Amino acid sequence: MTATEVSRNFASVLDSAEHGETIVITRGGRRLAILAPVSAGNGAALKDFLAAHPIDDSFAEDVLSAREIATDELGATWPDA
């Protein structure tokens, strides 16, 4: 579908995606984007993954370190961050 067709028929495009259809969106004859249905999940796979992979003891340190770096960089770019 062209971007114009998608914008004019967005509700029906969403209905199509909800029913399993994948829509390729084009502009000027070029593929621009793909709108596809998301996989349904209830979190069971994530829960199983987390149960199978115990937390690394240094994980909290890594998170705090990353937070400090990000905060410093954001503060330099956006003073009110």
mmCIF file with all atom_site columns, all heavy atoms in Angstrom, residues 1-6 23-33:
data_model
loop_
_atom_site.group_PDB
_atom_site.id
_atom_site.type_symbol
_atom_site.label_atom_id
_atom_site.label_alt_id
_atom_site.label_comp_id
_atom_site.label_asym_id
_atom_site.label_entity_id
_atom_site.label_seq_id
_atom_site.pdbx_PDB_ins_code
_atom_site.Cartn_x
_atom_site.Cartn_y
_atom_site.Cartn_z
_atom_site.occupancy
_atom_site.B_iso_or_equiv
_atom_site.pdbx_formal_charge
_atom_site.auth_seq_id
_atom_site.auth_comp_id
_atom_site.auth_asym_id
_atom_site.auth_atom_id
_atom_site.pdbx_PDB_model_num
ATOM 1   N N   . MET A 1 1  ? 0.842  -1.182 0.000  1.00 0.00 ? 1  MET A N   1
ATOM 2   C CA  . MET A 1 1  ? 0.000  0.000  0.000  1.00 0.00 ? 1  MET A CA  1
ATOM 3   C C   . MET A 1 1  ? 0.881  1.237  0.000  1.00 0.00 ? 1  MET A C   1
ATOM 4   O O   . MET A 1 1  ? 1.948  1.238  0.610  1.00 0.00 ? 1  MET A O   1
ATOM 5   C CB  . MET A 1 1  ? -0.874 0.064  1.249  1.00 0.00 ? 1  MET A CB  1
ATOM 6   C CG  . MET A 1 1  ? -1.933 -0.982 1.388  1.00 0.00 ? 1  MET A CG  1
ATOM 7   S SD  . MET A 1 1  ? -2.951 -0.673 2.854  1.00 0.00 ? 1  MET A SD  1
ATOM 8   C CE  . MET A 1 1  ? -4.280 0.208  2.075  1.00 0.00 ? 1  MET A CE  1
ATOM 9   N N   . THR A 1 2  ? 0.384  2.267  -0.618 1.00 0.00 ? 2  THR A N   1
ATOM 10  C CA  . THR A 1 2  ? 1.128  3.519  -0.567 1.00 0.00 ? 2  THR A CA  1
ATOM 11  C C   . THR A 1 2  ? 0.862  4.188  0.781  1.00 0.00 ? 2  THR A C   1
ATOM 12  O O   . THR A 1 2  ? -0.130 3.896  1.458  1.00 0.00 ? 2  THR A O   1
ATOM 13  C CB  . THR A 1 2  ? 0.681  4.478  -1.685 1.00 0.00 ? 2  THR A CB  1
ATOM 14  O OG1 . THR A 1 2  ? -0.670 4.885  -1.449 1.00 0.00 ? 2  THR A OG1 1
ATOM 15  C CG2 . THR A 1 2  ? 0.824  3.837  -3.054 1.00 0.00 ? 2  THR A CG2 1
ATOM 16  N N   . ALA A 1 3  ? 1.755  5.078  1.166  1.00 0.00 ? 3  ALA A N   1
ATOM 17  C CA  . ALA A 1 3  ? 1.593  5.808  2.416  1.00 0.00 ? 3  ALA A CA  1
ATOM 18  C C   . ALA A 1 3  ? 0.280  6.575  2.418  1.00 0.00 ? 3  ALA A C   1
ATOM 19  O O   . ALA A 1 3  ? -0.403 6.665  3.452  1.00 0.00 ? 3  ALA A O   1
ATOM 20  C CB  . ALA A 1 3  ? 2.774  6.743  2.638  1.00 0.00 ? 3  ALA A CB  1
ATOM 21  N N   . THR A 1 4  ? -0.104 7.115  1.278  1.00 0.00 ? 4  THR A N   1
ATOM 22  C CA  . THR A 1 4  ? -1.366 7.852  1.178  1.00 0.00 ? 4  THR A CA  1
ATOM 23  C C   . THR A 1 4  ? -2.548 6.924  1.432  1.00 0.00 ? 4  THR A C   1
ATOM 24  O O   . THR A 1 4  ? -3.471 7.275  2.179  1.00 0.00 ? 4  THR A O   1
ATOM 25  C CB  . THR A 1 4  ? -1.494 8.504  -0.213 1.00 0.00 ? 4  THR A CB  1
ATOM 26  O OG1 . THR A 1 4  ? -0.376 9.380  -0.404 1.00 0.00 ? 4  THR A OG1 1
ATOM 27  C CG2 . THR A 1 4  ? -2.775 9.277  -0.351 1.00 0.00 ? 4  THR A CG2 1
ATOM 28  N N   . GLU A 1 5  ? -2.526 5.724  0.832  1.00 0.00 ? 5  GLU A N   1
ATOM 29  C CA  . GLU A 1 5  ? -3.607 4.759  1.060  1.00 0.00 ? 5  GLU A CA  1
ATOM 30  C C   . GLU A 1 5  ? -3.698 4.369  2.528  1.00 0.00 ? 5  GLU A C   1
ATOM 31  O O   . GLU A 1 5  ? -4.797 4.257  3.084  1.00 0.00 ? 5  GLU A O   1
ATOM 32  C CB  . GLU A 1 5  ? -3.388 3.514  0.204  1.00 0.00 ? 5  GLU A CB  1
ATOM 33  C CG  . GLU A 1 5  ? -3.562 3.732  -1.277 1.00 0.00 ? 5  GLU A CG  1
ATOM 34  C CD  . GLU A 1 5  ? -3.126 2.529  -2.095 1.00 0.00 ? 5  GLU A CD  1
ATOM 35  O OE1 . GLU A 1 5  ? -2.143 1.849  -1.708 1.00 0.00 ? 5  GLU A OE1 1
ATOM 36  O OE2 . GLU A 1 5  ? -3.772 2.278  -3.121 1.00 0.00 ? 5  GLU A OE2 1
ATOM 37  N N   . VAL A 1 6  ? -2.550 4.167  3.140  1.00 0.00 ? 6  VAL A N   1
ATOM 38  C CA  . VAL A 1 6  ? -2.539 3.797  4.556  1.00 0.00 ? 6  VAL A CA  1
ATOM 39  C C   . VAL A 1 6  ? -3.135 4.920  5.403  1.00 0.00 ? 6  VAL A C   1
ATOM 40  O O   . VAL A 1 6  ? -3.964 4.673  6.277  1.00 0.00 ? 6  VAL A O   1
ATOM 41  C CB  . VAL A 1 6  ? -1.109 3.453  5.026  1.00 0.00 ? 6  VAL A CB  1
ATOM 42  C CG1 . VAL A 1 6  ? -1.063 3.294  6.533  1.00 0.00 ? 6  VAL A CG1 1
ATOM 43  C CG2 . VAL A 1 6  ? -0.618 2.188  4.340  1.00 0.00 ? 6  VAL A CG2 1
ATOM 44  N N   . ILE A 1 23 ? 1.501  -5.609 6.104  1.00 0.00 ? 23 ILE A N   1
ATOM 45  C CA  . ILE A 1 23 ? 1.311  -4.584 5.090  1.00 0.00 ? 23 ILE A CA  1
ATOM 46  C C   . ILE A 1 23 ? 2.648  -3.902 4.820  1.00 0.00 ? 23 ILE A C   1
ATOM 47  O O   . ILE A 1 23 ? 3.309  -3.428 5.747  1.00 0.00 ? 23 ILE A O   1
ATOM 48  C CB  . ILE A 1 23 ? 0.276  -3.528 5.545  1.00 0.00 ? 23 ILE A CB  1
ATOM 49  C CG1 . ILE A 1 23 ? -1.101 -4.184 5.743  1.00 0.00 ? 23 ILE A CG1 1
ATOM 50  C CG2 . ILE A 1 23 ? 0.163  -2.395 4.535  1.00 0.00 ? 23 ILE A CG2 1
ATOM 51  C CD1 . ILE A 1 23 ? -1.402 -4.562 7.139  1.00 0.00 ? 23 ILE A CD1 1
ATOM 52  N N   . VAL A 1 24 ? 3.051  -3.883 3.554  1.00 0.00 ? 24 VAL A N   1
ATOM 53  C CA  . VAL A 1 24 ? 4.256  -3.168 3.143  1.00 0.00 ? 24 VAL A CA  1
ATOM 54  C C   . VAL A 1 24 ? 3.816  -1.784 2.689  1.00 0.00 ? 24 VAL A C   1
ATOM 55  O O   . VAL A 1 24 ? 2.957  -1.654 1.809  1.00 0.00 ? 24 VAL A O   1
ATOM 56  C CB  . VAL A 1 24 ? 4.987  -3.905 2.000  1.00 0.00 ? 24 VAL A CB  1
ATOM 57  C CG1 . VAL A 1 24 ? 6.192  -3.099 1.531  1.00 0.00 ? 24 VAL A CG1 1
ATOM 58  C CG2 . VAL A 1 24 ? 5.413  -5.296 2.459  1.00 0.00 ? 24 VAL A CG2 1
ATOM 59  N N   . ILE A 1 25 ? 4.387  -0.758 3.290  1.00 0.00 ? 25 ILE A N   1
ATOM 60  C CA  . ILE A 1 25 ? 4.026  0.620  2.977  1.00 0.00 ? 25 ILE A CA  1
ATOM 61  C C   . ILE A 1 25 ? 5.103  1.212  2.086  1.00 0.00 ? 25 ILE A C   1
ATOM 62  O O   . ILE A 1 25 ? 6.290  1.116  2.384  1.00 0.00 ? 25 ILE A O   1
ATOM 63  C CB  . ILE A 1 25 ? 3.868  1.445  4.270  1.00 0.00 ? 25 ILE A CB  1
ATOM 64  C CG1 . ILE A 1 25 ? 2.834  0.779  5.180  1.00 0.00 ? 25 ILE A CG1 1
ATOM 65  C CG2 . ILE A 1 25 ? 3.480  2.884  3.941  1.00 0.00 ? 25 ILE A CG2 1
ATOM 66  C CD1 . ILE A 1 25 ? 2.803  1.333  6.592  1.00 0.00 ? 25 ILE A CD1 1
ATOM 67  N N   . THR A 1 26 ? 4.647  1.823  0.988  1.00 0.00 ? 26 THR A N   1
ATOM 68  C CA  . THR A 1 26 ? 5.584  2.385  0.019  1.00 0.00 ? 26 THR A CA  1
ATOM 69  C C   . THR A 1 26 ? 5.345  3.886  -0.148 1.00 0.00 ? 26 THR A C   1
ATOM 70  O O   . THR A 1 26 ? 4.256  4.396  0.128  1.00 0.00 ? 26 THR A O   1
ATOM 71  C CB  . THR A 1 26 ? 5.431  1.711  -1.357 1.00 0.00 ? 26 THR A CB  1
ATOM 72  O OG1 . THR A 1 26 ? 4.115  1.951  -1.861 1.00 0.00 ? 26 THR A OG1 1
ATOM 73  C CG2 . THR A 1 26 ? 5.692  0.226  -1.273 1.00 0.00 ? 26 THR A CG2 1
ATOM 74  N N   . ARG A 1 27 ? 6.379  4.558  -0.589 1.00 0.00 ? 27 ARG A N   1
ATOM 75  C CA  . ARG A 1 27 ? 6.273  5.975  -0.960 1.00 0.00 ? 27 ARG A CA  1
ATOM 76  C C   . ARG A 1 27 ? 7.143  6.157  -2.192 1.00 0.00 ? 27 ARG A C   1
ATOM 77  O O   . ARG A 1 27 ? 8.317  5.824  -2.173 1.00 0.00 ? 27 ARG A O   1
ATOM 78  C CB  . ARG A 1 27 ? 6.752  6.880  0.166  1.00 0.00 ? 27 ARG A CB  1
ATOM 79  C CG  . ARG A 1 27 ? 6.597  8.364  -0.207 1.00 0.00 ? 27 ARG A CG  1
ATOM 80  C CD  . ARG A 1 27 ? 7.180  9.295  0.814  1.00 0.00 ? 27 ARG A CD  1
ATOM 81  N NE  . ARG A 1 27 ? 6.388  9.277  2.032  1.00 0.00 ? 27 ARG A NE  1
ATOM 82  C CZ  . ARG A 1 27 ? 6.882  9.596  3.237  1.00 0.00 ? 27 ARG A CZ  1
ATOM 83  N NH1 . ARG A 1 27 ? 8.144  9.941  3.367  1.00 0.00 ? 27 ARG A NH1 1
ATOM 84  N NH2 . ARG A 1 27 ? 6.123  9.566  4.294  1.00 0.00 ? 27 ARG A NH2 1
ATOM 85  N N   . GLY A 1 28 ? 6.560  6.688  -3.232 1.00 0.00 ? 28 GLY A N   1
ATOM 86  C CA  . GLY A 1 28 ? 7.309  6.882  -4.464 1.00 0.00 ? 28 GLY A CA  1
ATOM 87  C C   . GLY A 1 28 ? 7.842  5.586  -5.048 1.00 0.00 ? 28 GLY A C   1
ATOM 88  O O   . GLY A 1 28 ? 8.904  5.563  -5.654 1.00 0.00 ? 28 GLY A O   1
ATOM 89  N N   . GLY A 1 29 ? 7.113  4.500  -4.816 1.00 0.00 ? 29 GLY A N   1
ATOM 90  C CA  . GLY A 1 29 ? 7.536  3.209  -5.343 1.00 0.00 ? 29 GLY A CA  1
ATOM 91  C C   . GLY A 1 29 ? 8.611  2.505  -4.528 1.00 0.00 ? 29 GLY A C   1
ATOM 92  O O   . GLY A 1 29 ? 9.022  1.406  -4.860 1.00 0.00 ? 29 GLY A O   1
ATOM 93  N N   . ARG A 1 30 ? 9.073  3.151  -3.452 1.00 0.00 ? 30 ARG A N   1
ATOM 94  C CA  . ARG A 1 30 ? 10.109 2.540  -2.587 1.00 0.00 ? 30 ARG A CA  1
ATOM 95  C C   . ARG A 1 30 ? 9.466  1.987  -1.327 1.00 0.00 ? 30 ARG A C   1
ATOM 96  O O   . ARG A 1 30 ? 8.577  2.614  -0.751 1.00 0.00 ? 30 ARG A O   1
ATOM 97  C CB  . ARG A 1 30 ? 11.140 3.596  -2.175 1.00 0.00 ? 30 ARG A CB  1
ATOM 98  C CG  . ARG A 1 30 ? 12.028 4.057  -3.303 1.00 0.00 ? 30 ARG A CG  1
ATOM 99  C CD  . ARG A 1 30 ? 13.123 5.047  -2.843 1.00 0.00 ? 30 ARG A CD  1
ATOM 100 N NE  . ARG A 1 30 ? 13.242 5.263  -1.427 1.00 0.00 ? 30 ARG A NE  1
ATOM 101 C CZ  . ARG A 1 30 ? 12.853 6.384  -0.786 1.00 0.00 ? 30 ARG A CZ  1
ATOM 102 N NH1 . ARG A 1 30 ? 12.331 7.377  -1.444 1.00 0.00 ? 30 ARG A NH1 1
ATOM 103 N NH2 . ARG A 1 30 ? 13.024 6.502  0.520  1.00 0.00 ? 30 ARG A NH2 1
ATOM 104 N N   . ARG A 1 31 ? 9.939  0.825  -0.905 1.00 0.00 ? 31 ARG A N   1
ATOM 105 C CA  . ARG A 1 31 ? 9.475  0.254  0.365  1.00 0.00 ? 31 ARG A CA  1
ATOM 106 C C   . ARG A 1 31 ? 9.935  1.162  1.500  1.00 0.00 ? 31 ARG A C   1
ATOM 107 O O   . ARG A 1 31 ? 11.106 1.485  1.608  1.00 0.00 ? 31 ARG A O   1
ATOM 108 C CB  . ARG A 1 31 ? 10.035 -1.143 0.548  1.00 0.00 ? 31 ARG A CB  1
ATOM 109 C CG  . ARG A 1 31 ? 9.486  -2.132 -0.441 1.00 0.00 ? 31 ARG A CG  1
ATOM 110 C CD  . ARG A 1 31 ? 10.252 -3.440 -0.422 1.00 0.00 ? 31 ARG A CD  1
ATOM 111 N NE  . ARG A 1 31 ? 10.256 -4.054 0.882  1.00 0.00 ? 31 ARG A NE  1
ATOM 112 C CZ  . ARG A 1 31 ? 9.640  -5.192 1.203  1.00 0.00 ? 31 ARG A CZ  1
ATOM 113 N NH1 . ARG A 1 31 ? 9.006  -5.848 0.275  1.00 0.00 ? 31 ARG A NH1 1
ATOM 114 N NH2 . ARG A 1 31 ? 9.691  -5.669 2.412  1.00 0.00 ? 31 ARG A NH2 1
ATOM 115 N N   . LEU A 1 32 ? 8.994  1.575  2.311  1.00 0.00 ? 32 LEU A N   1
ATOM 116 C CA  . LEU A 1 32 ? 9.275  2.526  3.383  1.00 0.00 ? 32 LEU A CA  1
ATOM 117 C C   . LEU A 1 32 ? 9.187  1.867  4.757  1.00 0.00 ? 32 LEU A C   1
ATOM 118 O O   . LEU A 1 32 ? 10.006 2.124  5.630  1.00 0.00 ? 32 LEU A O   1
ATOM 119 C CB  . LEU A 1 32 ? 8.279  3.683  3.273  1.00 0.00 ? 32 LEU A CB  1
ATOM 120 C CG  . LEU A 1 32 ? 8.346  4.790  4.281  1.00 0.00 ? 32 LEU A CG  1
ATOM 121 C CD1 . LEU A 1 32 ? 9.652  5.552  4.118  1.00 0.00 ? 32 LEU A CD1 1
ATOM 122 C CD2 . LEU A 1 32 ? 7.169  5.729  4.099  1.00 0.00 ? 32 LEU A CD2 1
ATOM 123 N N   . ALA A 1 33 ? 8.173  1.035  4.928  1.00 0.00 ? 33 ALA A N   1
ATOM 124 C CA  . ALA A 1 33 ? 7.950  0.431  6.244  1.00 0.00 ? 33 ALA A CA  1
ATOM 125 C C   . ALA A 1 33 ? 7.113  -0.830 6.087  1.00 0.00 ? 33 ALA A C   1
ATOM 126 O O   . ALA A 1 33 ? 6.488  -1.055 5.053  1.00 0.00 ? 33 ALA A O   1
ATOM 127 C CB  . ALA A 1 33 ? 7.232  1.416  7.159  1.00 0.00 ? 33 ALA A CB  1
#
